[in-house]
Amino acid sequence: NSAKRKLTKFWRIARVSGDKWDLNSLNSFTNFPIPDDYFTNEASRPAYNLQAAHYIESLVAYLQSEEGPIKQEQQILQGFGMCSDEFVDNNNIPYQPYIREGRRLVGKSTLLVTSELNGDSFSDSIGMAQYPADNKLSISVQYGNQLFRDYTFFANTKVYEIPFSITIPKSGPSNLLVSVAVSTSPLAYGSLRMEPHFMSIGQATGVAAALAFKNDTSVADVPIKSLKAVLSAWGQKLHLSALEKPLGN
C-alpha cells in the first residue's frame, strides 16, 4: 500500500518507514487505569504489563476478525501485526507500557494549565514548551445498553516557560531533581509530557546537579543565574522574549 496515512474509527495509522507503521489510538481505547499497587509494589508490575499487552493484542485481533463489528476496520487492519524486528525476546511487545499518569513530585511550585493557556513567564525558566493540554479519558462504564466514558479535555496552549522550581521537592531530600515526573496538575501534565520538553528539562536538571556538586550545595540552592547562564551558552532559549515571533501566542 503506497498510502502514508490511514484513518479509521479507532486508529490513526501512519507509515514510519518501509513496511513499518505507527498505530495511535483515536478514541482512547488503548487507555486504561492502572491499580495503585503498580506504583507501590514493584513485584506486581509484570502481571499488569502482561495484562495490558494482552488487552491491546486482543483488541486489534478482534477488530481484524470477521466477527469484528466494523468491516472497514477489518479491511484497513488486514495484514498488520507486531513489529517482527522489535523486542524479539518478548513476543515483539515493549518491555514496559507507557505510563501517562503516574506519581508526580510535590515541588517548590506547581505548573497549572492556566499558565499554559495564558503563556506565562517565570523568573527561573529553564526552557519553553507548547503542546495542547491533552487529558485522556481512561474509564468506560456500561450501564444498561449505553456506554459512558469519563471526561476528556483538549485545548490549545500558548508557548509558555518551564520553571525550574517544578523539578525540586517542596520539602524532603536536598539532592533530588526530577525531570519527568515534575510537579504539575494533571491537566498541565497533558501538555508538558512531550519528549522535546523532557529533553529541555533533563538538560537543565543535569546542569543543576553538576552545579550543586561543584558548589557543594543542595539542588534547591543552585544559583538560578548560574544555571541559566550555562543553558543560554549552550543555545537553550529560556524566555518568550527570545522568540523571533510569538509562536502559538
Side-chain angles (χ1 to χ4, degrees):
N1 193 319
S2 61
K4 294 184 178 180
R5 290 182 179 272
K6 300 173 183 287
L7 184 65
T8 79
K9 290 183 179 294
F10 288 86
W11 313 101
R12 289 189 182 95
I13 309 173
R15 186 189 293 273
V16 178
S17 64
D19 292 329
K20 187 173 292 190
W21 298 72
D22 175 70
L23 273 69
N24 188 17
S25 173
L26 184 61
N27 288 304
S28 301
F29 282 99
T30 57
N31 296 337
F32 40 83
I34 293 179
D36 290 342
D37 62 338
Y38 190 93
F39 304 101
T40 58
N41 179 15
E42 188 173 349
S44 72
R45 294 177 188 176
Y48 288 129
N49 291 349
L50 186 60
Q51 186 179 27
H54 284 172
Y55 167 73
I56 300 298
E57 288 181 305
S58 299
L59 174 61
V60 174
Y62 174 62
L63 293 174
Q64 288 177 316
S65 71
E66 293 184 0
E67 293 76 22
I70 303 174
K71 290 300 179 183
Q72 181 194 19
E73 299 292 325
Q74 179 188 348
Q75 294 170 357
I76 292 180
L77 290 174
Q78 192 68 34
F80 279 108
M82 304 299 288
C83 291
S84 60
D85 62 339
E86 297 185 8
F87 308 103
V88 294
D89 59 347
N90 195 46
N91 197 31
N92 308 114
I93 296 171
Y95 304 123
Q96 298 290 337
Y98 174 57
I99 306 298
R100 173 69 176 263
E101 287 284 348
R103 286 184 166 184
R104 289 189 297 275
L105 177 73
V106 177
K108 288 190 68 176
S109 72
T110 299
L111 182 67
L112 302 178
V113 74
T114 49
S115 289
E116 299 172 350
L117 297 175
N118 294 332
D120 284 350
S121 299
F122 301 94
S123 60
D124 63 340
S125 175
I126 52 176
M128 289 181 285
Q130 195 277 323
Y131 190 77
D134 181 14
N135 179 255
K136 297 292 188 182
L137 50 82
S138 62
I139 299 175
S140 300
V141 178
Q142 183 175 346
Y143 181 78
N145 293 322
Q146 289 185 286
L147 184 68
F148 297 89
R149 310 183 74 188
D150 65 344
Y151 181 72
T152 185
F153 178 85
F154 188 92
N156 289 323
T157 69
K158 295 182 179 180
V159 181
Y160 57 92
E161 297 177 1
I162 306 170
F164 176 66
S165 51
I166 68 172
T167 71
I168 49 181
K170 182 178 181 179
S171 60
S174 61
N175 62 346
L176 177 64
L177 282 162
V178 175
S179 60
V180 174
V182 289
S183 180
T184 74
S185 68
L187 283 182
Y189 196 75
S191 169
L192 193 63
R193 54 154 188 109
M194 302 304 293
E195 285 80 357
H197 305 160
F198 288 151
M199 293 177 188
S200 295
I201 300 170
Q203 176 172 268
T205 51
V207 172
L211 290 174
F213 180 79
K214 179 181 178 180
N215 297 323
D216 191 23
T217 185
S218 70
V219 294
D221 292 329
V222 168
I224 295 300
K225 185 177 181 179
S226 299
L227 173 59
K228 293 170 67 172
V230 174
L231 295 175
S232 295
W234 287 356
Q236 180 80 307
K237 303 297 184 183
L238 304 180
H239 292 286
L240 298 173
S241 58
L243 294 176
E244 294 182 3
K245 56 181 180 179
L247 298 174
N249 287 355

